Amino acid sequence: MRNSIGREGLDRPYEGPFKNVKTHAFVSPKKDLARKPVFSDNLDEVLDKLDLHDGMTVSFHHHMRNGDHVLPMVMEKLHKRGIKNMTVAATSIFPCHSCLVPMFEDETVTKVLASYISGPVGVAISKGKLKEICHMTTHGGRPRSMIEGEVNVDVAFIAAPAVDANGSLTGSEGPASCGVLGYAHADAETAKKVVAITDYTSKTVNRPEISGHLVDYVVKVDSIGDPKGIVSGTTQITKDPVGLKIARDAAKLIEHSGLLNNGMSFQTGAGGISLAVANELKKIMKEKKITGSFASGGITDYLVNLLKEGYFEKLYDVQCFNLDAVESIKVNENHIKMSAHTYANINNPDNIVNKLDVVILGASEIDLDFNVNVTTGSDGIILGGSGGHADTAAGAKLAIIVSKLVNSRISCLVDEVTTVTTPGETVDVLVTERGIAINPKHKELIDKLKEETNLKIMEIHELKKIADFYTGIPEKREKSDQIVAVSEYRDGTILDAIYKV
Amino acid sequence: MPGNNPGMLTSADCLEADSIIFDLEDAVSLKEKDAARILVREALSFLPLQGVEVTVRVNPLDSPYWKEDLESIIPAEPDGIVIPKASVESVQTMVKEIKRLEEAHQTEKKTKLLLIIESAMGLIDLRNIIESSDRIDAILLGAEDLSSDMGIKRTKESKEIEYARYLVATAARAYRIDALDTPFTDIDDVEGLEADTRFAKSIGFTGRLAINPRQIVTIHEVFSPTQEEIEEAQIILHEAEEAEKKGLGVFSYKGKMVDLPVIKRAEQIVDSARKWGLVR
């Protein structure tokens, strides 16, 4: 079946960004509020008490990012117990989770659901090692699918940096403090059994965020992870002069978009150019004496400083990208923890992404319809995923993609992206070093920018011609016909198929 | 930028510089000289390089490379050639070769010259050097080599090069050519760059060499007219138009007489502001 953006071979085809919004408030399951978990220091004993069975779904979060010890610890034990055909519903998968690859081969794990996959697991899935089709979700799509019962987790294993006497969990204390546990809330709320795994317990803990009454077991282990591993790869402002030019132009565009007013809300990724946009925007906000209402998403030290310096009133934080953000969330009451449901669930009418004015996003590929790929490389191998990309692009009034047009002889602008991660109808602007393309639906913005600025505004076809001049037109890659994964939109419909390489 | 770095050459016109120097001299090691020469020639021939003046710094007259540099580069028609360690002899010798090559290859452009003044002799002979060719478009101060020639220590405060700076700026003004100040070498000190560039502007330099593309924005900010200057220039131009309609040659603005030089200065400011997108 063909979906509304022309991609074929899909069940539940995507129909449009807001065609399937089922507005409902999330109601927490009616568990007894006075309920307390059982504490243990033996994971095997706890596993013995659980109804572990073939075909079950287990879930994990990725707040420890590439320093996570919990997924490998639990999965190795389940592997040894001989449980087969499991679905792993992880919020994201990193290179530290490579233990999953041999488990695909002996069918311990036959299905994976995740919002982002990098490293050996992505390669293995792309090569067809996983028996069933992997679902690449968005950060908002994942809690939606759990709350609506599309994904039913049998056991949620939640890495918890600190647990209090009532079994309540926090990310902002303990030796493996990761700041916030935003992605784990839906798991705690909906899984049949919830096992918190921690290396630190105390009578009280800093800013508990998942209530103990939702937790069945607390298991104390030696170490849940290495906090150094949570530092995302790219949390420094770029020093590349071309990247800096892109950032200056993006900031100028925001200045003239009509959205840069007191109360503006803003989100940026942790990439070098995206952070540089925040830096340029800060200069303009300073000059114009503008205070924003909030910045959101994954939080870096850079946004923490903007909060401290008064450029924004609040930070809504779903995950900390580096240790300065972890320090800040412990002490700054305007640095607010949020769940992925609050952040980006399309069916949550109060979600934060819908309140965003401007979001700055990256792209590994973007096409003439403004569709963006951040899921696969141009070789077709899974190397990322939406995370909050598709959620924020849909929610924000102005979704700006910043990317070098030509990077190491490869153009980001292609006729058709390898994989649609974010549909072009939710993408508003592409800023590159050689020109800016604006989605033609924004005619007023195009006219305004041409009138007020000397930014190089051009049609995306013109920009593509420039890119082709530098790189030539690459040969088309042959697609196999075996689907190994699908790119799932935030509403659960399918944007695109990812094929075996 | 180093002539042997293809990535940098390709992005040369994205950096918002007024002028770019592709370097064949100090930024290129001896064993890379050929590669750089070929790459720069190809870049000049192939890349559009729009909206930016493109020049090439060749090796100096006392090196064995300058002739081959010119032979390779002149047919590709750069906007200008940057001559290091400029002297009357080096300018005259290179101009002769450039003219020969231009004729041989029937190039359309008349190659401009930009001279780097970086020796004590270059400084005291400045007038003769500038008068040695009618192709000279700018003189550039090279303070690192100058300090070395003088046997003095180069400091961040730059007291030791003040005389040279005044001399270069004044000589350039006298011959109505551009004066470009020596690069500010601490690329991470943005405030230092700004303060030092303000000084350069205040004594008559019309631009500055950037040693790293990240310095370009700051240099532009200093040399671009301020909002106040732009507004005043716009008012003066408006008043001048009104005065002309009334048939008046001069008029007064804020109690001062406005005549042709003032109007020309106002036009320059508005032109410059337009170029940087400060006015439409």
Side-chain angles (χ1 to χ4, degrees):
Chain A
M1 203 185 288
R2 188 186 276 260
N3 69 14
S4 70
I5 49 173
R7 298 284 170 140
E8 286 189 90
L10 311 162
D11 297 332
R12 283 193 300 152
Y14 168 78
E15 296 168 80
F18 297 105
K19 289 276 181 194
N20 288 301
V21 183
K22 292 170 273 181
T23 304
H24 63 217
F26 174 53
V27 183
S28 186
K30 285 183 184 124
K31 285 184 181 169
D32 174 7
L33 287 171
R35 197 171 163 266
K36 278 189 191 178
V38 174
F39 283 73
S40 166
D41 51 11
N42 189 323
L43 179 55
D44 280 301
E45 276 177 22
V46 169
L47 292 176
D48 288 341
K49 290 179 195 160
L50 296 167
D51 172 29
L52 303 177
H53 55 86
D54 290 353
M56 71 175 181
T57 297
V58 289
S59 80
F60 301 92
H61 69 69
H62 74 279
H63 287 284
M64 304 303 302
R65 300 177 68 83
N66 202 28
D68 177 40
H69 293 169
V70 167
L71 183 148
M73 181 194 307
V74 171
M75 288 310 297
E76 298 284 5
K77 286 191 184 292
L78 298 180
H79 188 213
K80 271 193 193 146
R81 285 169 184 247
I83 299 161
K84 297 287 179 189
N85 295 324
M86 278 186 284
T87 296
V88 171
T91 55
S92 292
I93 290 175
F94 285 90
C96 66
H97 300 134
S98 62
C99 65
L100 290 173
V101 176
M103 296 184 204
F104 295 166
E105 310 217 354
D106 67 9
E107 298 192 358
T108 298
V109 175
T110 48
K111 190 167 182 178
V112 169
L113 317 172
S115 309
Y116 180 97
I117 303 178
S118 70
V121 174
V123 175
I125 293 171
S126 301
K127 290 189 171 169
K129 306 269 188 210
L130 186 66
K131 190 175 172 192
E132 291 184 48
I133 292 172
C134 162
H135 280 239
M136 302 287 296
T137 58
T138 72
H139 280 330
R142 184 177 185 275
R144 182 206 55 76
S145 70
M146 290 178 164
I147 290 164
E148 290 177 357
E150 274 171 29
V151 172
N152 296 295
V153 174
D154 291 292
V155 189
F157 293 96
I158 300 178
V163 181
D164 74 10
N166 295 319
S168 294
L169 319 180
T170 185
S172 51
E173 195 176 339
S177 180
C178 60
V180 59
L181 297 174
Y183 296 127
H185 286 235
D187 307 47
E189 300 271 9
T190 65
K192 284 180 199 142
K193 290 288 174 193
V194 176
V195 179
I197 299 183
T198 188
D199 50 16
Y200 180 82
T201 54
S202 175
K203 195 173 170 195
T204 58
V205 294
N206 175 273
R207 303 178 77 178
E209 53 198 289
I210 291 175
S211 168
H213 82 280
L214 297 170
V215 180
D216 297 285
Y217 299 95
V218 174
V219 185
K220 201 167 175 191
V221 297
D222 290 340
S223 166
I224 60 164
D226 175 5
K228 284 186 197 128
I230 78 163
V231 178
S232 183
T234 51
T235 56
Q236 294 293 319
I237 291 179
T238 183
K239 287 191 168 181
D240 172 10
V242 176
L244 290 170
K245 177 196 161 41
I246 295 170
R248 282 195 298 276
D249 284 355
K252 195 173 197 179
L253 188 147
I254 296 168
E255 182 186 357
H256 291 270
S257 68
L259 293 169
L260 188 63
N261 305 310
N262 278 323
M264 184 205 54
S265 53
F266 178 72
Q267 180 163 335
T268 178
I273 302 178
S274 302
L275 286 177
V277 178
N279 192 32
E280 293 298 327
L281 202 60
K282 171 182 158 178
K283 291 181 199 165
I284 299 171
M285 290 170 82
K286 186 175 182 179
E287 192 190 312
K288 300 203 158 180
K289 298 190 173 67
I290 287 169
T291 306
S293 54
F294 71 85
S296 58
I299 300 299
T300 57
D301 51 347
Y302 205 78
L303 290 173
V304 166
N305 288 335
L306 289 181
L307 175 70
K308 274 192 208 159
E309 292 164 19
Y311 290 98
F312 287 96
E313 288 165 3
K314 288 184 166 61
L315 294 183
Y316 288 105
D317 186 342
V318 70
Q319 76 167 323
C320 292
F321 273 137
N322 57 22
L323 299 177
D324 286 350
V326 172
E327 282 306 309
S328 162
I329 208 165
K330 275 181 199 172
V331 294
N332 191 332
E333 61 183 22
N334 290 319
H335 186 162
I336 297 159
K337 295 178 173 188
M338 69 171 167
S339 70
H341 164 75
T342 303
Y343 170 41
N345 181 352
I346 189 173
N347 290 341
N348 172 7
D350 293 322
N351 71 48
I352 289 288
V353 297
N354 282 355
K355 299 187 177 84
L356 272 175
D357 287 320
V358 180
V359 64
I360 307 295
L361 297 163
S364 51
E365 288 177 332
I366 180 164
D367 68 23
L368 296 173
D369 295 323
F370 287 85
N371 295 314
V372 173
N373 173 23
V374 289
T375 304
T376 51
S378 51
D379 54 5
I381 290 180
I382 296 168
L383 48 65
S386 172
H389 201 288
D391 298 311
T392 50
K397 293 192 183 79
L398 190 65
I400 300 175
I401 306 292
V402 288
S403 175
K404 285 169 88 166
L405 185 63
V406 176
N407 197 6
S408 305
R409 300 169 65 198
I410 293 176
S411 163
C412 74
L413 191 44
V414 295
D415 286 324
E416 196 178 68
V417 289
T418 309
T419 307
V420 179
T421 312
T422 296
E425 54 206 298
T426 63
V427 172
D428 303 304
V429 179
L430 166 66
V431 182
T432 75
E433 72 278 23
R434 294 201 178 270
I436 296 174
I438 297 177
N439 195 320
K441 69 180 180 181
H442 296 299
K443 198 176 170 308
E444 272 180 27
L445 178 63
I446 296 170
D447 293 343
K448 189 170 189 289
L449 291 170
K450 282 186 176 170
E451 173 69 29
E452 293 176 10
T453 72
N454 63 345
L455 292 169
K456 268 196 208 168
I457 310 292
M458 55 180 77
E459 283 186 22
I460 198 158
H461 291 85
E462 291 176 67
L463 199 53
K464 171 101 180 5
K465 270 189 204 155
I466 296 174
D468 288 347
F469 169 80
Y470 286 95
T471 62
I473 298 169
E475 274 179 39
K476 268 207 159 172
R477 202 175 50 84
E478 289 289 313
K479 257 186 197 172
S480 73
D481 49 14
Q482 185 186 334
I483 296 175
V484 293
V486 288
S487 172
E488 185 179 298
Y489 196 55
R490 52 203 305 249
D491 62 4
T493 60
I494 303 301
L495 280 166
D496 208 350
I498 299 165
Y499 296 87
K500 183 182 169 182
V501 292
Chain B
M1 47 183 56
N4 58 336
N5 184 323
M8 285 191 186
L9 300 189
T10 314
S11 58
D13 57 345
C14 295
L15 304 173
E16 301 182 328
D18 296 308
S19 181
I20 290 280
I21 304 174
F22 289 163
D23 191 20
L24 303 178
E25 196 210 6
D26 287 352
V28 177
S29 68
L30 287 183
K31 59 183 180 187
E32 288 281 319
K33 294 287 183 198
D34 289 343
R37 214 176 265 145
I38 295 165
L39 202 58
V40 168
R41 184 188 68 205
E42 293 302 311
L44 287 167
S45 313
F46 177 73
L47 298 175
L49 299 170
Q50 285 163 345
V52 61
E53 180 184 81
V54 183
T55 67
V56 180
R57 178 164 76 166
V58 294
N59 285 284
L61 194 67
D62 58 6
S63 78
Y65 309 113
W66 67 273
K67 220 170 179 176
E68 274 184 82
D69 290 345
L70 289 177
E71 274 169 15
S72 183
I73 299 303
I74 293 298
E77 302 194 44
D79 294 313
I81 291 289
V82 179
I83 302 179
K85 298 184 193 166
S87 62
V88 172
E89 188 199 358
S90 65
V91 172
Q92 286 176 343
T93 313
M94 288 206 195
V95 166
K96 202 173 153 199
E97 182 65 7
I98 290 168
K99 278 184 182 164
R100 186 186 73 76
L101 290 163
E102 282 174 346
E103 279 165 25
H105 293 275
Q106 296 184 322
T107 59
E108 285 174 14
K109 267 185 201 162
K110 187 178 170 189
T111 318
K112 292 191 252 188
L113 297 180
L114 295 86
L115 310 183
I116 310 184
I117 305 302
E118 48 189 340
S119 67
M121 184 54 87
L123 266 187
I124 60 166
D125 205 24
L126 205 41
R127 207 170 152 174
N128 290 326
I129 296 173
I130 298 174
E131 286 180 356
S132 66
S133 167
D134 60 358
R135 293 184 173 221
I136 298 163
D137 191 52
I139 46 175
L140 290 55
L141 177 61
E144 304 309 310
D145 279 355
L146 175 66
S147 317
S148 147
D149 187 42
M150 297 278 293
I152 56 175
K153 196 176 167 210
R154 184 81 176 89
T155 68
K156 204 165 182 179
E157 292 68 38
S158 294
K159 273 272 172 206
E160 71 282 1
I161 60 160
E162 259 183 27
Y163 172 66
R165 282 173 133 180
Y166 281 112
L167 205 56
V168 168
T170 310
R173 189 67 199 145
Y175 289 91
R176 296 294 186 265
I177 56 176
D178 280 324
L180 307 186
D181 195 15
T182 192
F184 187 79
T185 49
D186 184 349
I187 55 173
D188 290 320
D189 182 5
V190 179
E191 284 170 14
L193 170 67
E194 188 186 330
D196 195 59
T197 308
R198 284 203 188 284
F199 171 73
K201 184 188 179 187
S202 76
I203 64 167
F205 277 98
T206 52
R208 178 155 216 182
L209 294 163
I211 199 151
N212 183 293
R214 279 186 277 142
Q215 296 180 322
I216 293 168
V217 174
T218 308
I219 295 173
H220 277 322
E221 275 168 7
V222 172
F223 282 102
S224 305
T226 63
Q227 205 54 42
E228 271 174 22
E229 285 171 331
I230 297 167
E231 280 165 19
E232 189 170 289
Q234 284 174 321
I235 295 170
I236 288 172
L237 291 182
H238 176 76
E239 294 285 321
E241 228 172 81
E242 295 296 310
E244 203 182 312
K245 279 182 200 162
K246 291 178 197 157
L248 299 171
V250 287
F251 59 96
S252 79
Y253 172 70
K254 284 190 180 171
K256 285 181 189 166
M257 289 306 283
V258 176
D259 56 7
L260 202 58
V262 178
I263 295 170
K264 276 201 166 161
R265 174 87 189 121
E267 278 171 354
Q268 279 170 3
I269 289 171
V270 173
D271 281 350
S272 168
R274 200 167 286 133
K275 186 173 175 193
W276 295 108
L278 302 170
V279 291
R280 296 294 293 168

